[in-house]
Amino acid sequence: MSLGGIILQGLVCGSVLRVLPIARAIEKGRAVDRIEFEEDSFSHGSPTPPTDTDINGYMTDVASVCTIAAYQSVEGRIRARWGNAHRGWPLEVQYLRLLRHAVAHGNKFTIRKSPDGSTGINPKTPPTWRSSNMTSDDEMDGKQLFNEFLMPGDIPVLLSDIRQVLGKRP
């Protein structure tokens, strides 16, 4: 696994992942606590290093693509296993669904209830991932996803956790 790098003889060269054991843990489906990124791996020989804004924009773009692709690739399995009623899905899967929607709405949460109330956040059982909770429609609506609610580097860890949730037997 390499994000922005090339794998040569089992080593990642030029990767944004600073700690290669984290990449190996994600590949094997083990939980990881955090991911750190190297800033200088983006220089690609350019005369001036990129600014923090350039790197943050790049990481946000990568995290956005990963979030949408991950959700879309498993949505059919989710619906087949837990049905179409989102509130009946595991809390982590509900969380991923709302992240996907935030990415699709310009990196902002847009929480709207349908007439039957099924698409809003249920404050009694809010979408949750680890210690992060989406407690109510009012709290989340309009909030920026990346760099306010989550950091882009959280996405690989979340997706590793989601993979484990999807692998559990009912």
Side-chain angles (χ1 to χ4, degrees):
M1 172 183 187
S2 170
L3 181 60
I6 301 170
I7 298 178
L8 299 173
Q9 298 177 345
L11 299 175
V12 180
C13 302
S15 173
V16 298
L17 290 177
R18 179 180 297 173
V19 184
L20 191 55
I22 292 174
R24 288 190 184 118
I26 292 170
E27 284 179 333
K28 293 179 180 177
R30 294 193 310 253
V32 295
D33 292 328
R34 66 188 175 122
I35 294 179
E36 296 177 21
F37 296 94
E38 286 182 358
E39 294 183 26
D40 64 351
S41 65
F42 289 94
S43 64
H44 301 290
S46 63
T48 58
T51 66
D52 288 344
T53 304
D54 295 338
I55 293 168
N56 189 51
Y58 177 80
M59 295 311 301
T60 298
D61 290 347
V62 170
S64 296
V65 169
C66 290
T67 301
I68 288 179
Y71 177 79
Q72 295 303 127
S73 70
V74 296
E75 182 182 18
R77 286 179 33 208
I78 292 167
R79 291 182 186 281
R81 184 167 178 183
W82 291 293
N84 289 325
H86 309 124
R87 287 187 176 183
W89 297 358
L91 299 178
E92 300 91 346
V93 177
Q94 292 179 41
Y95 188 97
L96 175 62
R97 177 181 169 270
L98 290 173
L99 293 185
R100 179 259 176 240
H101 292 332
V103 168
H105 289 270
N107 194 37
K108 287 199 185 265
F109 288 94
T110 305
I111 311 292
R112 301 285 184 259
K113 291 182 183 176
S114 65
D116 67 359
S118 64
T119 59
I121 292 172
N122 181 352
K124 292 179 183 175
T125 55
T128 303
W129 170 61
R130 294 191 179 201
S131 63
S132 178
N133 298 303
M134 298 179 185
T135 57
S136 71
D137 295 341
D138 291 337
E139 178 204 353
M140 297 306 299
D141 192 40
K143 185 176 276 193
Q144 183 176 325
L145 167 54
F146 293 120
N147 305 307
E148 181 179 349
F149 183 69
L150 285 180
M151 296 304 291
D154 291 324
I155 296 302
V157 179
L158 168 68
L159 297 181
S160 177
D161 289 355
I162 292 291
R163 179 179 174 194
Q164 297 205 7
V165 169
L166 293 176
K168 291 180 185 174
R169 297 284 174 212

